[in-house]
Amino acid sequence: MRTREVVIAVSVAAMVVLLAYAIEVGGLGPIAPQRIRDLAATYLINTYNPWNITLSSLSLEAVTAIVWDYRGIDTFFETSVLFVAIVGVTSLLRGFREKTGLSSAGLSEIVKTSTKVLAPLILVAGVAIALHGHLTPGGGFQGGSFIAVLFILLSVTFSLDYAISYGISSRKLLALRSGGLIGILVTSLALLIASLILGVNSYIFQNMAREGAPLSMPSWFLDRPTGGTLIWFNTFEALAVAAGISLAFLVLSLREEEVEEALGQVEWYE
Amino acid sequence: MGKILSYLAVYALVYGFYVVFSGATSAFSLILGAVGSLLVSLIVKPLIVSRELKLADIKRLGYLIYYYIYYMTVAEVRAHLGIAKIVLSRKLKISPAIVKVPYYVSSSYGMTLIAGSITNTPGTVVVQVDTQRKFLYVHWLVATTFEPEKARESISSEFEKFAQKIFG
Amino acid sequence: MSDPTSLMFTTIFICLTVNIGMSLYGIFVRPSLVKKFIALTIFSDTLNCFAIALGFRRVVGSYPSIAVLAALPESPEQLSQLASTAVDPLPQALVLTAVVIGLAVYMFLAGLILMYYRYYKTTHVEVARGGRVG
Protein backbone atom coordinates (compact mmCIF):
# COMPACT_ATOMS: atom_id res chain seq x y z
CA MET A 1 0.00 0.00 0.00
CA ARG A 2 2.79 2.41 0.91
CA THR A 3 4.82 1.68 -2.23
CA ARG A 4 1.74 2.21 -4.38
CA GLU A 5 1.21 5.69 -2.93
CA VAL A 6 4.88 6.55 -3.36
CA VAL A 7 4.82 5.43 -6.99
CA ILE A 8 1.70 7.51 -7.65
CA ALA A 9 3.20 10.55 -5.95
CA VAL A 10 6.46 10.31 -7.85
CA SER A 11 4.77 9.80 -11.22
CA VAL A 12 2.33 12.69 -10.62
CA ALA A 13 5.24 14.94 -9.60
CA ALA A 14 7.17 13.90 -12.72
CA MET A 15 4.11 14.69 -14.84
CA VAL A 16 3.83 18.14 -13.25
CA VAL A 17 7.50 18.93 -13.86
CA LEU A 18 7.41 17.72 -17.47
CA LEU A 19 4.14 19.55 -18.22
CA ALA A 20 5.46 22.77 -16.69
CA TYR A 21 8.65 22.40 -18.72
CA ALA A 22 6.69 21.75 -21.90
CA ILE A 23 4.63 24.92 -21.33
CA GLU A 24 7.74 26.89 -20.45
CA VAL A 25 9.43 26.07 -23.77
CA GLY A 26 6.27 26.83 -25.70
CA GLY A 27 4.80 23.37 -26.20
CA LEU A 28 1.22 24.66 -26.04
CA GLY A 29 1.96 27.37 -28.56
CA PRO A 30 2.92 30.92 -27.68
CA ILE A 31 1.59 32.05 -24.30
CA ALA A 32 -0.51 35.21 -24.54
CA PRO A 33 0.19 35.88 -28.24
CA GLN A 34 -0.15 39.31 -29.77
CA ARG A 35 -2.40 38.04 -32.55
CA ILE A 36 -5.51 35.98 -31.91
CA ARG A 37 -6.64 33.36 -34.38
CA ASP A 38 -8.66 34.43 -37.42
CA LEU A 39 -11.66 32.48 -36.17
CA ALA A 40 -11.75 34.56 -32.98
CA ALA A 41 -11.36 37.79 -34.96
CA THR A 42 -14.26 36.75 -37.19
CA TYR A 43 -16.48 36.20 -34.16
CA LEU A 44 -15.46 39.55 -32.66
CA ILE A 45 -16.16 41.49 -35.83
CA ASN A 46 -19.44 39.75 -36.69
CA THR A 47 -21.07 39.46 -33.28
CA TYR A 48 -22.62 42.90 -33.54
CA ASN A 49 -22.35 43.96 -37.15
CA PRO A 50 -25.43 45.72 -38.55
CA TRP A 51 -23.50 46.43 -41.76
CA ASN A 52 -23.24 42.72 -42.60
CA ILE A 53 -26.35 41.17 -41.18
CA THR A 54 -26.01 37.78 -42.87
CA LEU A 55 -23.02 36.91 -40.66
CA SER A 56 -24.08 38.74 -37.51
CA SER A 57 -26.23 37.85 -34.52
CA LEU A 58 -26.74 41.46 -33.36
CA SER A 59 -25.61 40.85 -29.80
CA LEU A 60 -23.06 43.01 -28.01
CA GLU A 61 -21.72 40.04 -26.06
CA ALA A 62 -19.57 37.68 -28.09
CA VAL A 63 -19.70 34.74 -25.65
CA THR A 64 -23.50 34.63 -25.55
CA ALA A 65 -23.63 34.95 -29.32
CA ILE A 66 -21.27 32.00 -29.75
CA VAL A 67 -23.05 29.90 -27.13
CA TRP A 68 -26.61 30.42 -28.36
CA ASP A 69 -26.28 31.43 -32.01
CA TYR A 70 -23.11 30.26 -33.74
CA ARG A 71 -22.94 27.04 -31.70
CA GLY A 72 -26.61 26.83 -30.77
CA ILE A 73 -27.22 23.11 -31.35
CA ASP A 74 -24.18 22.34 -29.19
CA THR A 75 -25.68 24.32 -26.33
CA PHE A 76 -29.06 22.72 -26.83
CA PHE A 77 -27.53 19.29 -26.24
CA GLU A 78 -25.57 20.67 -23.29
CA THR A 79 -28.85 21.73 -21.70
CA SER A 80 -30.21 18.26 -22.47
CA VAL A 81 -27.23 16.72 -20.65
CA LEU A 82 -28.09 18.82 -17.61
CA PHE A 83 -31.70 17.65 -17.87
CA VAL A 84 -30.69 14.01 -18.18
CA ALA A 85 -28.42 14.33 -15.14
CA ILE A 86 -31.30 15.73 -13.10
CA VAL A 87 -33.55 12.92 -14.29
CA GLY A 88 -30.81 10.51 -13.26
CA VAL A 89 -30.51 12.01 -9.77
CA THR A 90 -34.27 11.88 -9.35
CA SER A 91 -34.55 8.30 -10.56
CA LEU A 92 -31.79 7.16 -8.17
CA LEU A 93 -34.31 7.86 -5.42
CA ARG A 94 -37.50 7.13 -7.36
CA GLY A 95 -40.50 6.71 -5.14
CA PHE A 96 -39.52 9.36 -2.61
CA ARG A 97 -42.24 11.45 -1.07
CA GLU A 98 -41.79 14.94 0.34
CA LYS A 99 -43.11 15.21 3.87
CA THR A 100 -43.57 18.13 6.19
CA GLY A 101 -43.36 18.13 9.97
CA LEU A 102 -40.07 16.25 10.22
CA SER A 103 -37.73 18.95 11.47
CA SER A 104 -38.46 22.60 11.02
CA ALA A 105 -35.77 24.09 13.22
CA GLY A 106 -33.45 25.65 10.67
CA LEU A 107 -30.89 28.19 11.82
CA SER A 108 -31.38 31.01 14.34
CA GLU A 109 -33.94 33.79 14.01
CA ILE A 110 -31.27 36.36 13.06
CA VAL A 111 -30.13 34.27 10.08
CA LYS A 112 -33.73 33.66 9.01
CA THR A 113 -34.62 37.35 9.03
CA SER A 114 -31.45 38.31 7.17
CA THR A 115 -32.25 35.69 4.55
CA LYS A 116 -35.73 37.15 4.20
CA VAL A 117 -34.24 40.54 3.41
CA LEU A 118 -31.77 39.01 0.95
CA ALA A 119 -34.24 36.75 -0.85
CA PRO A 120 -35.86 39.28 -3.22
CA LEU A 121 -32.49 40.86 -3.97
CA ILE A 122 -30.92 37.53 -5.01
CA LEU A 123 -33.95 36.72 -7.14
CA VAL A 124 -33.99 40.05 -8.98
CA ALA A 125 -30.21 39.99 -9.46
CA GLY A 126 -30.59 36.64 -11.20
CA VAL A 127 -33.36 38.05 -13.38
CA ALA A 128 -31.21 41.07 -14.27
CA ILE A 129 -28.22 38.89 -15.23
CA ALA A 130 -30.39 36.64 -17.38
CA LEU A 131 -32.15 39.50 -19.17
CA HIS A 132 -28.91 41.35 -19.94
CA GLY A 133 -27.12 38.21 -21.15
CA HIS A 134 -26.70 39.56 -24.69
CA LEU A 135 -25.53 43.04 -23.56
CA THR A 136 -23.21 42.41 -20.60
CA PRO A 137 -21.30 39.36 -19.35
CA GLY A 138 -23.70 36.80 -17.94
CA GLY A 139 -26.58 34.91 -19.46
CA GLY A 140 -29.20 32.30 -18.83
CA PHE A 141 -27.07 29.77 -17.02
CA GLN A 142 -25.50 32.33 -14.70
CA GLY A 143 -28.82 33.99 -13.88
CA GLY A 144 -30.47 30.62 -13.31
CA SER A 145 -27.69 29.58 -10.95
CA PHE A 146 -28.23 32.82 -9.01
CA ILE A 147 -31.91 32.00 -8.58
CA ALA A 148 -31.13 28.41 -7.57
CA VAL A 149 -28.86 29.79 -4.83
CA LEU A 150 -31.96 31.35 -3.30
CA PHE A 151 -33.68 27.97 -3.00
CA ILE A 152 -30.56 26.40 -1.48
CA LEU A 153 -30.29 29.29 0.99
CA LEU A 154 -33.96 28.97 1.95
CA SER A 155 -33.82 25.24 2.47
CA VAL A 156 -30.68 25.52 4.60
CA THR A 157 -31.68 28.44 6.81
CA PHE A 158 -35.42 27.74 7.08
CA SER A 159 -35.14 23.92 6.74
CA LEU A 160 -36.45 21.94 3.79
CA ASP A 161 -39.83 21.71 5.53
CA TYR A 162 -40.40 25.42 5.15
CA ALA A 163 -39.45 25.40 1.47
CA ILE A 164 -41.88 22.56 0.79
CA SER A 165 -44.70 24.19 2.73
CA TYR A 166 -44.03 27.47 0.87
CA GLY A 167 -45.22 25.65 -2.24
CA ILE A 168 -41.99 24.34 -3.75
CA SER A 169 -42.29 20.69 -4.66
CA SER A 170 -40.32 18.41 -6.94
CA ARG A 171 -43.27 18.08 -9.31
CA LYS A 172 -43.58 21.85 -9.75
CA LEU A 173 -39.84 22.22 -10.23
CA LEU A 174 -39.80 19.46 -12.84
CA ALA A 175 -42.72 21.13 -14.63
CA LEU A 176 -40.89 24.48 -14.64
CA ARG A 177 -37.74 22.79 -15.89
CA SER A 178 -39.62 21.08 -18.71
CA GLY A 179 -41.38 24.35 -19.51
CA GLY A 180 -38.00 26.06 -19.90
CA LEU A 181 -36.78 23.32 -22.22
CA ILE A 182 -39.95 23.50 -24.32
CA GLY A 183 -39.44 27.28 -24.54
CA ILE A 184 -35.91 26.74 -25.83
CA LEU A 185 -37.20 24.25 -28.39
CA VAL A 186 -39.96 26.60 -29.57
CA THR A 187 -37.51 29.49 -29.88
CA SER A 188 -35.16 27.38 -31.96
CA LEU A 189 -37.97 26.35 -34.30
CA ALA A 190 -39.82 29.69 -34.41
CA LEU A 191 -38.36 30.94 -37.68
CA LEU A 192 -38.69 27.52 -39.29
CA ILE A 193 -42.43 27.47 -38.56
CA ALA A 194 -42.84 31.05 -39.76
CA SER A 195 -41.01 30.25 -42.98
CA LEU A 196 -43.19 27.17 -43.59
CA ILE A 197 -46.22 29.45 -43.44
CA LEU A 198 -44.66 32.12 -45.65
CA GLY A 199 -43.12 29.59 -48.03
CA VAL A 200 -39.46 30.64 -47.85
CA ASN A 201 -36.27 28.88 -46.78
CA SER A 202 -34.92 28.89 -43.25
CA TYR A 203 -32.76 26.86 -40.85
CA ILE A 204 -33.09 25.36 -37.38
CA PHE A 205 -31.61 27.74 -34.76
CA GLN A 206 -31.74 30.57 -37.27
CA ASN A 207 -31.41 33.98 -35.67
CA MET A 208 -30.74 36.72 -38.23
CA ALA A 209 -31.33 36.56 -41.96
CA ARG A 210 -28.82 34.31 -43.73
CA GLU A 211 -28.09 33.87 -47.42
CA GLY A 212 -31.09 32.20 -49.02
CA ALA A 213 -33.11 32.50 -45.82
CA PRO A 214 -34.46 36.02 -45.59
CA LEU A 215 -36.42 35.86 -42.30
CA SER A 216 -34.93 37.20 -39.07
CA MET A 217 -36.11 37.42 -35.48
CA PRO A 218 -37.17 40.83 -34.10
CA SER A 219 -33.79 42.22 -33.17
CA TRP A 220 -34.59 45.53 -31.51
CA PHE A 221 -36.61 46.36 -28.42
CA LEU A 222 -36.97 50.12 -27.82
CA ASP A 223 -33.40 51.43 -27.65
CA ARG A 224 -31.30 48.28 -27.30
CA PRO A 225 -30.75 45.21 -29.53
CA THR A 226 -32.22 41.94 -28.27
CA GLY A 227 -29.98 39.66 -30.25
CA GLY A 228 -33.02 38.08 -31.90
CA THR A 229 -33.35 34.64 -30.35
CA LEU A 230 -30.71 35.26 -27.69
CA ILE A 231 -32.92 37.04 -25.18
CA TRP A 232 -35.52 34.26 -25.42
CA PHE A 233 -32.90 31.55 -25.06
CA ASN A 234 -31.43 33.31 -22.03
CA THR A 235 -34.82 33.72 -20.35
CA PHE A 236 -35.88 30.12 -20.86
CA GLU A 237 -32.45 28.79 -19.95
CA ALA A 238 -32.53 30.78 -16.69
CA LEU A 239 -35.91 29.25 -15.88
CA ALA A 240 -34.76 25.75 -16.75
CA VAL A 241 -31.45 25.97 -14.87
CA ALA A 242 -33.00 27.56 -11.77
CA ALA A 243 -35.67 24.88 -11.52
CA GLY A 244 -33.27 22.09 -12.44
CA ILE A 245 -30.55 22.89 -9.91
CA SER A 246 -33.18 23.49 -7.21
CA LEU A 247 -34.72 20.10 -8.01
CA ALA A 248 -31.37 18.33 -7.84
CA PHE A 249 -30.59 19.98 -4.50
CA LEU A 250 -34.04 19.10 -3.18
CA VAL A 251 -33.59 15.45 -4.10
CA LEU A 252 -30.04 15.28 -2.73
CA SER A 253 -31.02 16.85 0.60
CA LEU A 254 -34.10 14.71 1.27
CA ARG A 255 -34.31 13.44 4.85
CA GLU A 256 -34.02 9.75 5.71
CA GLU A 257 -37.71 9.49 6.59
CA GLU A 258 -38.65 10.63 3.09
CA VAL A 259 -36.47 8.16 1.22
CA GLU A 260 -36.67 5.06 3.39
CA GLU A 261 -39.84 3.99 1.64
CA ALA A 262 -38.16 4.40 -1.73
CA LEU A 263 -35.00 2.64 -0.56
CA GLY A 264 -37.05 -0.23 0.86
CA GLN A 265 -38.32 -1.11 -2.61
CA VAL A 266 -34.86 -1.15 -4.16
CA GLU A 267 -33.16 -4.49 -4.62
CA TRP A 268 -29.56 -4.18 -3.52
CA TYR A 269 -27.28 -6.21 -5.73
CA GLU A 270 -24.44 -7.88 -3.91
CA MET B 1 -55.55 48.80 0.66
CA GLY B 2 -53.03 47.45 3.14
CA LYS B 3 -52.36 44.49 0.90
CA ILE B 4 -51.72 46.68 -2.15
CA LEU B 5 -49.40 48.87 -0.10
CA SER B 6 -47.44 45.82 1.02
CA TYR B 7 -47.01 44.71 -2.58
CA LEU B 8 -46.04 48.25 -3.61
CA ALA B 9 -43.40 48.44 -0.88
CA VAL B 10 -41.87 45.10 -1.90
CA TYR B 11 -42.00 46.17 -5.54
CA ALA B 12 -40.22 49.44 -4.77
CA LEU B 13 -37.47 47.57 -2.90
CA VAL B 14 -37.02 45.01 -5.69
CA TYR B 15 -37.14 47.46 -8.57
CA GLY B 16 -34.85 49.94 -6.83
CA PHE B 17 -32.30 47.19 -6.29
CA TYR B 18 -32.67 46.11 -9.93
CA VAL B 19 -31.93 49.60 -11.20
CA VAL B 20 -28.87 49.95 -8.94
CA PHE B 21 -27.60 46.43 -9.65
CA SER B 22 -27.86 46.51 -13.44
CA GLY B 23 -27.04 50.20 -13.78
CA ALA B 24 -30.06 50.48 -16.02
CA THR B 25 -30.44 53.71 -17.95
CA SER B 26 -31.95 52.49 -21.21
CA ALA B 27 -35.67 52.02 -21.75
CA PHE B 28 -34.96 48.38 -22.65
CA SER B 29 -33.56 47.60 -19.20
CA LEU B 30 -36.06 49.72 -17.30
CA ILE B 31 -39.16 48.20 -18.91
CA LEU B 32 -37.99 44.57 -18.83
CA GLY B 33 -36.85 45.12 -15.25
CA ALA B 34 -40.26 46.50 -14.29
CA VAL B 35 -41.92 43.32 -15.59
CA GLY B 36 -39.34 41.04 -13.94
CA SER B 37 -39.57 42.89 -10.62
CA LEU B 38 -43.35 42.54 -10.70
CA LEU B 39 -43.04 38.75 -10.96
CA VAL B 40 -40.37 38.63 -8.26
CA SER B 41 -42.37 40.77 -5.83
CA LEU B 42 -45.48 38.64 -6.39
CA ILE B 43 -43.44 35.54 -5.50
CA VAL B 44 -41.56 36.85 -2.45
CA LYS B 45 -44.15 39.12 -0.81
CA PRO B 46 -45.64 36.38 1.44
CA LEU B 47 -42.10 35.53 2.55
CA ILE B 48 -40.90 38.94 3.65
CA VAL B 49 -43.98 40.93 4.75
CA SER B 50 -46.04 39.39 7.53
CA ARG B 51 -48.33 42.27 8.50
CA GLU B 52 -50.28 44.70 6.36
CA LEU B 53 -48.61 48.04 5.83
CA LYS B 54 -50.31 51.39 6.32
CA LEU B 55 -49.61 54.82 4.87
CA ALA B 56 -48.39 56.00 8.28
CA ASP B 57 -45.54 53.50 8.00
CA ILE B 58 -43.67 55.91 5.74
CA LYS B 59 -42.56 57.65 8.95
CA ARG B 60 -40.74 54.44 9.89
CA LEU B 61 -38.80 54.61 6.62
CA GLY B 62 -37.66 58.11 7.56
CA TYR B 63 -36.47 56.80 10.93
CA LEU B 64 -34.63 53.97 9.13
CA ILE B 65 -32.73 56.39 6.89
CA TYR B 66 -31.97 58.66 9.86
CA TYR B 67 -30.80 55.65 11.89
CA TYR B 68 -28.58 54.46 9.03
CA ILE B 69 -26.80 57.84 8.83
CA TYR B 70 -26.56 58.13 12.62
CA TYR B 71 -25.24 54.58 12.97
CA MET B 72 -22.63 54.87 10.23
CA THR B 73 -21.32 58.27 11.32
CA VAL B 74 -21.69 58.38 15.13
CA ALA B 75 -22.10 54.91 16.64
CA GLU B 76 -19.56 53.17 14.41
CA VAL B 77 -16.92 55.87 14.84
CA ARG B 78 -17.35 55.89 18.61
CA ALA B 79 -16.99 52.11 18.85
CA HIS B 80 -13.97 52.09 16.53
CA LEU B 81 -12.26 54.79 18.60
CA GLY B 82 -12.83 52.78 21.76
CA ILE B 83 -11.32 49.63 20.25
CA ALA B 84 -8.42 51.58 18.73
CA LYS B 85 -7.63 52.96 22.19
CA ILE B 86 -7.52 49.44 23.61
CA VAL B 87 -5.41 48.06 20.78
CA LEU B 88 -2.88 50.90 20.84
CA SER B 89 -2.50 51.10 24.61
CA ARG B 90 0.54 49.55 26.24
CA LYS B 91 -1.37 47.23 28.51
CA LEU B 92 -4.19 45.10 27.11
CA LYS B 93 -7.03 46.19 29.37
CA ILE B 94 -9.73 43.76 28.26
CA SER B 95 -12.10 41.51 30.14
CA PRO B 96 -13.86 39.39 27.52
CA ALA B 97 -17.07 37.68 28.56
CA ILE B 98 -20.37 36.50 27.14
CA VAL B 99 -23.26 38.43 28.70
CA LYS B 100 -27.02 38.08 28.49
CA VAL B 101 -28.77 41.12 27.02
CA PRO B 102 -32.56 41.31 27.02
CA TYR B 103 -34.50 42.97 24.21
CA TYR B 104 -38.08 44.20 24.17
CA VAL B 105 -38.97 44.69 20.50
CA SER B 106 -41.68 42.32 19.29
CA SER B 107 -40.87 41.84 15.59
CA SER B 108 -38.06 39.64 14.29
CA TYR B 109 -36.91 42.45 12.00
CA GLY B 110 -36.37 44.71 15.02
CA MET B 111 -34.44 41.97 16.79
CA THR B 112 -32.31 41.39 13.72
CA LEU B 113 -31.61 45.12 13.44
CA ILE B 114 -30.43 45.20 17.06
CA ALA B 115 -28.33 42.06 16.65
CA GLY B 116 -26.80 43.32 13.42
CA SER B 117 -26.02 46.71 14.94
CA ILE B 118 -24.36 45.07 17.95
CA THR B 119 -22.29 42.74 15.79
CA ASN B 120 -21.21 45.43 13.34
CA THR B 121 -19.80 47.69 16.05
CA PRO B 122 -16.36 46.35 16.97
CA GLY B 123 -15.99 44.92 20.45
CA THR B 124 -19.37 43.21 20.66
CA VAL B 125 -20.60 40.14 18.78
CA VAL B 126 -23.98 38.43 19.09
CA VAL B 127 -23.36 34.70 19.38
CA GLN B 128 -26.83 33.31 20.09
CA VAL B 129 -30.41 34.43 20.38
CA ASP B 130 -33.16 33.03 22.59
CA THR B 131 -36.43 34.14 21.00
CA GLN B 132 -38.64 32.51 23.65
CA ARG B 133 -37.18 34.36 26.63
CA LYS B 134 -36.02 37.33 24.51
CA PHE B 135 -32.33 37.31 25.28
CA LEU B 136 -29.33 37.99 23.07
CA TYR B 137 -26.07 36.37 24.12
CA VAL B 138 -23.35 38.90 23.36
CA HIS B 139 -19.61 38.41 23.44
CA TRP B 140 -18.32 41.63 24.93
CA LEU B 141 -14.64 42.59 24.82
CA VAL B 142 -14.68 44.95 27.81
CA ALA B 143 -17.39 43.47 30.01
CA THR B 144 -18.02 45.80 32.92
CA THR B 145 -21.13 44.09 34.26
CA PHE B 146 -22.96 40.79 34.11
CA GLU B 147 -26.34 42.25 35.06
CA PRO B 148 -28.60 41.82 31.98
CA GLU B 149 -30.30 45.21 32.43
CA LYS B 150 -27.06 47.13 32.98
CA ALA B 151 -25.40 45.36 30.05
CA ARG B 152 -28.38 46.37 27.93
CA GLU B 153 -27.89 50.00 29.00
CA SER B 154 -24.30 50.07 27.75
CA ILE B 155 -24.61 47.80 24.70
CA SER B 156 -27.93 47.96 22.96
CA SER B 157 -30.27 50.55 24.47
CA GLU B 158 -29.59 53.22 21.83
CA PHE B 159 -30.01 50.71 18.99
CA GLU B 160 -33.18 49.38 20.55
CA LYS B 161 -34.69 52.86 20.80
CA PHE B 162 -34.52 53.12 17.02
CA ALA B 163 -35.46 49.50 16.35
CA GLN B 164 -38.64 50.09 18.37
CA LYS B 165 -39.49 53.12 16.25
CA ILE B 166 -38.60 51.50 12.92
CA PHE B 167 -39.97 47.96 13.17
CA GLY B 168 -41.94 47.94 16.43
CA MET C 1 11.48 36.01 -20.17
CA SER C 2 12.47 39.49 -19.14
CA ASP C 3 9.19 41.28 -19.66
CA PRO C 4 6.69 41.10 -16.77
CA THR C 5 3.73 39.78 -18.78
CA SER C 6 5.53 36.59 -19.81
CA LEU C 7 6.76 36.10 -16.26
CA MET C 8 3.21 36.48 -14.93
CA PHE C 9 1.77 34.03 -17.44
CA THR C 10 4.56 31.51 -16.81
CA THR C 11 3.86 31.71 -13.07
CA ILE C 12 0.14 31.23 -13.61
CA PHE C 13 0.63 28.22 -15.89
CA ILE C 14 3.10 26.56 -13.52
CA CYS C 15 0.72 27.07 -10.59
CA LEU C 16 -2.10 25.53 -12.64
CA THR C 17 0.11 22.55 -13.50
CA VAL C 18 0.93 22.02 -9.82
CA ASN C 19 -2.78 22.22 -9.09
CA ILE C 20 -3.45 19.51 -11.66
CA GLY C 21 -0.81 17.31 -10.04
CA MET C 22 -2.25 17.77 -6.56
CA SER C 23 -5.81 17.07 -7.63
CA LEU C 24 -4.76 13.97 -9.61
CA TYR C 25 -2.92 12.71 -6.53
CA GLY C 26 -6.09 13.27 -4.51
CA ILE C 27 -8.18 11.33 -7.03
CA PHE C 28 -5.74 8.40 -7.09
CA VAL C 29 -4.80 8.10 -3.42
CA ARG C 30 -7.52 9.40 -1.09
CA PRO C 31 -9.77 6.47 -0.09
CA SER C 32 -12.89 8.53 0.65
CA LEU C 33 -15.25 9.06 -2.25
CA VAL C 34 -16.10 12.57 -1.05
CA LYS C 35 -12.42 13.53 -1.07
CA LYS C 36 -12.06 12.06 -4.55
CA PHE C 37 -15.12 14.08 -5.63
CA ILE C 38 -13.63 17.32 -4.26
CA ALA C 39 -10.32 16.57 -5.99
CA LEU C 40 -12.19 15.94 -9.24
CA THR C 41 -13.94 19.33 -9.06
CA ILE C 42 -10.59 21.04 -8.43
CA PHE C 43 -9.14 19.18 -11.43
CA SER C 44 -11.85 20.28 -13.81
CA ASP C 45 -11.81 23.87 -12.54
CA THR C 46 -8.06 23.97 -13.13
CA LEU C 47 -8.50 22.74 -16.68
CA ASN C 48 -11.16 25.42 -17.26
CA CYS C 49 -8.76 28.08 -15.99
CA PHE C 50 -6.16 26.68 -18.41
CA ALA C 51 -8.54 27.06 -21.32
CA ILE C 52 -9.46 30.62 -20.32
CA ALA C 53 -5.80 31.58 -19.93
CA LEU C 54 -4.98 30.21 -23.39
CA GLY C 55 -7.42 32.72 -24.88
CA PHE C 56 -5.56 35.75 -23.56
CA ARG C 57 -3.60 38.04 -25.81
CA ARG C 58 -1.01 40.71 -25.37
CA VAL C 59 -1.39 44.20 -26.76
CA VAL C 60 1.80 46.06 -27.48
CA GLY C 61 2.05 49.49 -25.95
CA SER C 62 -0.78 51.06 -24.03
CA TYR C 63 -4.35 49.86 -24.42
CA PRO C 64 -6.24 52.27 -26.67
CA SER C 65 -9.57 51.64 -24.90
CA ILE C 66 -11.33 49.01 -22.89
CA ALA C 67 -11.80 46.06 -25.20
CA VAL C 68 -15.54 45.61 -24.85
CA LEU C 69 -18.47 47.06 -26.75
CA ALA C 70 -19.80 49.29 -23.97
CA ALA C 71 -22.07 51.21 -26.33
CA LEU C 72 -23.47 50.55 -29.76
CA PRO C 73 -20.70 50.93 -32.35
CA GLU C 74 -21.21 53.63 -34.94
CA SER C 75 -18.94 52.46 -37.73
CA PRO C 76 -17.27 49.25 -38.98
CA GLU C 77 -13.88 50.72 -38.06
CA GLN C 78 -14.86 50.55 -34.39
CA LEU C 79 -15.50 46.82 -34.81
CA SER C 80 -12.14 46.11 -36.39
CA GLN C 81 -10.51 48.11 -33.62
CA LEU C 82 -12.28 45.91 -31.09
CA ALA C 83 -11.04 42.81 -32.90
CA SER C 84 -7.49 44.16 -32.72
CA THR C 85 -7.51 44.44 -28.91
CA ALA C 86 -10.10 42.02 -27.48
CA VAL C 87 -9.29 38.52 -26.21
CA ASP C 88 -10.42 35.30 -27.88
CA PRO C 89 -14.10 34.70 -26.94
CA LEU C 90 -14.20 31.09 -28.17
CA PRO C 91 -12.45 29.43 -25.18
CA GLN C 92 -14.76 31.32 -22.84
CA ALA C 93 -17.84 30.01 -24.63
CA LEU C 94 -16.47 26.46 -24.63
CA VAL C 95 -15.62 26.72 -20.92
CA LEU C 96 -19.17 27.87 -20.23
CA THR C 97 -20.41 24.68 -21.89
CA ALA C 98 -17.86 22.63 -19.96
CA VAL C 99 -18.95 24.18 -16.66
CA VAL C 100 -22.59 23.32 -17.29
CA ILE C 101 -21.84 19.74 -18.28
CA GLY C 102 -19.45 19.45 -15.32
CA LEU C 103 -22.23 20.60 -13.02
CA ALA C 104 -24.55 17.94 -14.46
CA VAL C 105 -21.95 15.22 -13.95
CA TYR C 106 -21.19 16.35 -10.39
CA MET C 107 -24.84 16.36 -9.43
CA PHE C 108 -25.21 12.78 -10.64
CA LEU C 109 -21.96 11.76 -8.91
CA ALA C 110 -23.12 13.36 -5.65
CA GLY C 111 -26.33 11.35 -5.87
CA LEU C 112 -24.38 8.14 -6.46
CA ILE C 113 -22.05 8.85 -3.53
CA LEU C 114 -25.07 9.52 -1.32
CA MET C 115 -26.57 6.16 -2.29
CA TYR C 116 -23.21 4.45 -1.67
CA TYR C 117 -23.17 5.99 1.80
CA ARG C 118 -26.73 4.89 2.50
CA TYR C 119 -25.92 1.30 1.58
CA TYR C 120 -22.44 0.82 3.06
CA LYS C 121 -22.67 3.46 5.86
CA THR C 122 -19.27 4.78 4.77
CA THR C 123 -17.71 6.48 1.76
CA HIS C 124 -14.53 4.40 1.80
CA VAL C 125 -13.95 2.84 -1.63
CA GLU C 126 -12.31 -0.36 -0.42
CA VAL C 127 -15.47 -1.40 1.44
CA ALA C 128 -17.37 -2.13 -1.76
CA ARG C 129 -14.56 -4.45 -2.85
CA GLY C 130 -14.80 -6.33 0.43
CA GLY C 131 -11.56 -4.89 1.77
CA ARG C 132 -10.90 -3.64 5.27
CA VAL C 133 -10.97 0.04 6.21
CA GLY C 134 -7.63 1.41 7.28
Side-chain angles (χ1 to χ4, degrees), chain C residues 35-83:
Chain C
K35 300 279 170 60
K36 278 183 198 291
F37 178 71
I38 294 171
L40 188 65
T41 56
I42 294 174
F43 181 64
S44 86
D45 286 344
T46 313
L47 286 187
N48 288 341
C49 284
F50 239 121
I52 291 280
L54 282 178
F56 270 92
R57 79 188 295 185
R58 193 178 323 178
V59 173
V60 190
S62 62
Y63 284 80
S65 65
I66 306 171
V68 291
L69 283 179
L72 298 177
E74 274 122 29
S75 64
E77 286 75 46
Q78 225 170 330
L79 288 174
S80 39
Q81 205 204 346
L82 172 82

Side-chain angles (χ1 to χ4, degrees), chain B residues 114-152:
Chain B
I114 296 172
S117 302
I118 291 173
T119 303
N120 206 30
T121 46
T124 46
V125 176
V126 176
V127 290
Q128 181 59 287
V129 57
D130 185 342
T131 40
Q132 255 102 50
R133 290 182 290 165
K134 294 201 157 190
F135 278 119
L136 296 168
Y137 292 89
V138 180
H139 180 270
W140 195 5
L141 197 59
V142 280
T144 52
T145 173
F146 291 105
E147 281 292 308
E149 280 302 324
K150 280 182 193 156
R152 177 179 171 272

Side-chain angles (χ1 to χ4, degrees), chain A residues 24 33-34 37 40 256 270, chain C residues 10 21 57-58 88 118-119:
Chain A
E24 179 71 27
Q34 291 183 6
R37 286 164 300 156
E256 292 300 317
E270 286 292 338
Chain C
T10 312
R57 79 188 295 185
R58 193 178 323 178
D88 192 346
R118 284 197 170 120
Y119 182 51

